[in-house]
Amino acid sequence: MTGKVKSFTINQDRLQKRIRDLAQIGKISETGVCRLALSPQDRAGVEQVRRWMDEAGLQTRIDHFGNLIGRLNGRNPDAPLLLVGSHIDSQPYGGQYDGVIGVLGALEVLQTMQEQGLVPDRSVEVIAFCDEEGCRFQKGLFGARGILNRLEPGELERADKNGVTRRQALVEFGCDPELLAESVYPEGSIGAYLELHIEQGPVLDRADEPIGIVSAISGPLWWTVEMTGFAGHAGSVPMNMRQDALLGAAKVIQAVNELARLDPEAPTVGTVGHLEVFPDSRNIIPERVRFTVDLRDIDLARRNEREQALREAIELAAMEGGLQYTITEDTNSEPRYCAPWIKDIIREESRALGIEARELMSGPFHDALALSYVCDYAMIFVRCKDGISHNPQEFASMDDIALGTEVLYRTVLRMTNPVKR
């Protein structure tokens, strides 16, 4: 960080109040949030943000994917849109800032343009995408992929842990799954996408830098693995005669960790974050175990090598334990790189505010990942304390968020060439 930050055009106090108010919806503990996608808490959050969009003078709608959209019309309604946004759904044990600052920051940008009497050359839409997180139905980026007509077969039939399908949840949310096609954006109608987000990692915090410019989003590979053995009495079946599915799963979980650590200099990460055991009794040998695998890397060739090695580890564990297994691929995306011309604008506007913003990659995926397949995109990262995210202890200072939002505002102005009314 260099120089001294100049005064902001955006309204920092208004932005801060909205972040705090939204955090009351689905509040857990003192600082945590639980707004699962398409839940009543998610709907309440969407309605609150919609009210703020209405106050800002935007044209608002909730589409059939569950996305909340606020539109500021431009001088040329036929020009490709600029989309700006993120999400407000959360993890079950989440924080106040993940996704939220991208939605409320984008809203603040458009409201400031309205107050400044600025009319963009193209229409700009702020969008709160539905189900970015993917934790409820084990597949994320739903709303972002939906508007691009990139959903996969069977997605509406995916069920949460209570047996509620996404189709049911959409209906309960107020959407009509039979009308999804009406909410798809026409090909070529989106010109670019911008997203403000907390880093969710420690790089900026350790460097004592308030904001950064994202270079690329690493490619996530998500699997659901099921290993099946044979249940038996824990007290009577000899150890050498067991077909213990949990033991096989444990070997695979260890392999995930070891493969992700093979190159200490690489940003490869691997996680098993969800596990189900059947019959789930202390004195029955586990017959079936289902678990998730999350493998990510910025280098696709290296990730592919780790994937192949993991498949071999699963095969070995199954053979040693007399198990059967299936691997279901839930998500598979290559790394996606940000547009240099937009990064240049962000860099120039950061410097104008006295900030020398570094470039850094994003390990987590974001709604921007889906948009990257149809348009140029870029992201601005805001430092978060100790890199903590997906946790109630997640924290970003209001000064940093306001700075990121001001850079977002100036970037939008550069990209839309507004004129005074």
Side-chain angles (χ1 to χ4, degrees):
M1 182 171 175
T2 59
K4 185 177 180 181
V5 176
K6 301 177 182 178
S7 60
F8 297 155
T9 309
I10 60 109
N11 187 327
Q12 178 173 340
D13 292 339
R14 177 171 59 198
L15 178 58
Q16 181 173 15
K17 184 178 187 305
R18 286 174 174 171
I19 292 171
R20 289 177 174 172
D21 288 350
L22 186 56
Q24 300 307 304
I25 300 175
K27 181 178 179 179
I28 56 173
S29 70
E30 287 302 306
T31 58
V33 168
C34 178
R35 284 192 301 266
L36 296 183
L38 300 175
S39 67
Q41 294 79 16
D42 189 24
R43 180 71 194 200
V46 164
E47 291 292 354
Q48 177 59 76
V49 177
R50 186 176 193 174
R51 286 191 288 271
W52 290 329
M53 288 181 175
D54 289 335
E55 289 175 14
L58 306 181
Q59 296 177 359
T60 64
R61 68 186 190 275
I62 298 172
D63 71 10
H64 292 295
F65 295 105
N67 298 314
L68 169 63
I69 301 156
R71 182 183 177 96
L72 176 61
N73 286 319
R75 302 191 303 278
N76 182 359
D78 296 324
L81 287 164
L82 172 61
L83 288 187
V84 193
S86 192
H87 64 98
I88 66 165
D89 68 300
S90 81
Q91 291 284 329
Y93 191 62
Q96 300 180 14
Y97 306 94
D98 177 6
V100 167
I101 71 165
V103 173
L104 298 185
L107 170 57
E108 180 59 36
V109 165
L110 296 197
Q111 187 160 0
T112 300
M113 291 179 70
Q114 289 276 66
E115 292 167 349
Q116 296 290 319
L118 299 176
V119 182
D121 64 357
R122 65 191 61 221
S123 298
V124 184
E125 290 186 350
V126 53
I127 183 162
F129 287 109
C130 180
D131 196 3
E132 186 267 359
E133 295 289 359
C135 53
R136 182 176 178 188
F137 300 101
Q138 299 301 313
K139 190 165 182 70
L141 304 181
F142 175 75
R145 290 183 298 109
I147 66 167
L148 307 177
N149 199 28
R150 294 178 64 92
L151 296 186
E152 298 171 3
E155 286 206 38
L156 297 189
E157 312 316 318
R158 299 181 75 94
D160 66 12
K161 64 182 181 180
N162 297 315
V164 178
T165 65
R166 193 190 290 278
R167 183 185 299 276
Q168 291 173 266
L170 282 167
V171 171
E172 292 169 5
F173 200 74
C175 304
D176 187 342
E178 302 306 314
L179 299 178
L180 293 180
E182 295 182 5
S183 298
V184 174
Y185 281 55
E187 188 173 348
S189 65
I190 303 172
Y193 176 71
L194 284 173
E195 184 166 355
L196 176 72
H197 207 283
I198 57 171
E199 182 196 348
Q200 299 181 286
V203 175
L204 293 175
D205 192 46
R206 288 180 179 176
D208 192 24
E209 297 172 4
I211 62 171
I213 303 168
V214 176
S215 57
I217 300 173
S218 67
L221 176 68
W222 281 13
W223 287 348
T224 297
V225 181
E226 185 168 286
M227 306 195 81
T228 305
F230 196 81
H233 197 295
S236 60
V237 180
M239 298 302 290
N240 63 353
M241 296 177 65
R242 297 187 176 200
Q243 293 171 267
D244 186 335
L246 184 54
L247 178 60
K251 293 178 180 179
V252 176
I253 294 169
Q254 179 70 15
V256 170
N257 185 66
E258 291 175 351
L259 287 169
R261 293 171 176 267
L262 278 178
D263 182 352
E265 301 301 316
T268 316
V269 290
T271 307
V272 173
H274 174 75
L275 184 132
E276 301 171 10
V277 180
F278 175 84
D280 195 22
S281 171
R282 77 163 61 213
N283 65 343
I284 300 178
I285 299 164
E287 180 172 292
R288 185 175 66 250
V289 176
R290 180 184 293 115
F291 58 95
T292 59
V293 172
D294 182 328
L295 183 65
R296 309 186 195 206
D297 205 314
I298 202 71
D299 185 316
L300 186 59
R302 183 170 54 226
R303 196 198 73 185
N304 289 343
E305 290 177 3
R306 302 295 184 265
E307 176 188 351
Q308 181 56 39
L310 184 56
R311 287 182 181 274
E312 294 170 2
I314 293 172
E315 175 66 28
L316 179 61
M319 184 180 65
E320 290 176 343
L323 310 173
Q324 302 296 315
Y325 70 89
T326 60
I327 300 173
T328 303
E329 187 176 271
D330 301 312
T331 295
N332 188 344
S333 176
E334 64 190 29
R336 305 296 293 176
Y337 293 85
C338 294
W341 69 275
I342 308 179
K343 289 193 299 180
D344 288 344
I345 293 174
I346 296 171
R347 185 176 297 105
E348 290 165 10
E349 294 305 322
S350 298
R351 285 173 177 163
L353 288 164
I355 303 296
E356 191 64 42
R358 74 168 62 206
E359 284 196 25
L360 68 166
M361 63 159 281
S362 174
F365 63 73
H366 305 280
D367 293 299
L369 178 65
L371 273 294
S372 72
Y373 287 91
V374 300
C375 67
D376 285 350
Y377 87 98
M379 293 187 68
I380 300 165
F381 267 172
V382 171
R383 145 177 70 185
C384 60
K385 189 175 187 304
D386 299 323
I388 295 171
S389 184
H390 287 185
N391 186 306
Q393 294 183 48
E394 173 183 283
F395 177 78
S397 78
M398 199 56 228
D399 286 344
D400 290 352
I401 294 170
L403 174 60
T405 304
E406 181 70 17
V407 172
L408 183 69
Y409 171 71
R410 292 172 178 228
T411 301
V412 169
L413 295 191
R414 289 275 300 275
M415 294 177 68
T416 61
N417 300 309
V419 297
K420 282 275 190 179
R421 287 195 191 93

